[in-house]
Amino acid sequence: MNGTRRAFVVRAVLYFGLWMVVDQSAKPANLAVGVLASVAAAWASLKLLPPASGRVRLGALLLLLPRFLWQSLVAGTDVARRAFAPRLRLQPGFVDYPVGLPRGAARNAFELIASLMPGTLPSGDTKDTIQFHCLDTRQPVLEQLAAEERAYARALQPGTRDG
């Protein structure tokens, strides 16, 4: 099965799964509408976002779910601590992280994951770097980002540059 056909089938199945969650009915008429809507959504998604080389390995990414949840908890706690601290000294600014991932799905997924780090937010990029806004540039942000990229490298498989 070629890449476009495979992407169509995967997207249609995922859209149909979403339809089943939303509709929660196994009536034949509802299933028929769901299949048609899923096929139409998959076709539209291929036109709007064609499959790119490289991919996000969903199974490997799911294995990292405990790390993701822990970091979400740590980030939320850090933000709450900063919000309620009467005199927390901050040094906001920008840092440029030299990312190893090319532009595309894998890099976008890494940016999403990295945005959970306390006090960091991706704010721009170039061919070889991602710019992050940081609440405190004195923190070891670049080292933390490198650790995140290493942890998720197995799940984020880049292909050729598509941006």
Side-chain angles (χ1 to χ4, degrees):
M1 184 179 293
N2 72 22
T4 303
R5 241 184 241 156
R6 182 179 186 279
F8 177 81
V9 170
V10 168
R11 292 179 190 192
V13 168
L14 290 173
Y15 285 129
F16 187 70
L18 180 62
W19 175 272
M20 293 301 295
V21 168
V22 171
D23 186 49
Q24 296 182 355
S25 170
K27 295 179 184 174
N30 290 4
L31 291 175
V33 171
V35 167
L36 291 174
S38 300
V39 167
W43 178 83
S45 76
L46 287 176
K47 294 297 180 192
L48 296 171
L49 186 63
S53 60
R55 64 185 194 163
V56 175
R57 294 179 56 212
L58 189 58
L61 200 55
L62 287 176
L63 290 175
L64 295 166
L65 187 61
R67 178 185 179 96
F68 184 82
L69 293 174
W70 174 252
Q71 288 182 325
S72 296
L73 179 66
V74 169
T77 304
D78 184 68
V79 169
R81 181 181 60 83
R82 291 176 192 271
F84 292 113
R87 293 182 189 216
L88 187 59
R89 292 182 179 223
L90 299 176
Q91 187 175 344
F94 294 91
V95 296
D96 289 329
Y97 174 67
V99 67
L101 298 166
R103 288 180 171 162
R107 186 165 171 172
N108 291 343
F110 171 70
E111 287 183 23
L112 175 68
I113 293 161
S115 71
L116 289 177
M117 286 177 42
T120 62
L121 184 67
S123 58
D125 70 341
T126 65
K127 179 180 168 188
D128 299 317
T129 64
I130 301 173
Q131 185 179 61
F132 284 87
H133 178 269
C134 304
L135 289 178
D136 194 348
T137 56
R138 295 171 297 191
Q139 299 296 317
V141 175
L142 294 176
E143 292 83 1
Q144 292 171 343
L145 287 167
E148 288 306 306
E149 187 175 11
R150 281 191 305 274
Y152 285 91
R154 188 168 168 266
L156 308 176
Q157 294 184 330
T160 58
R161 295 185 186 270
D162 64 351

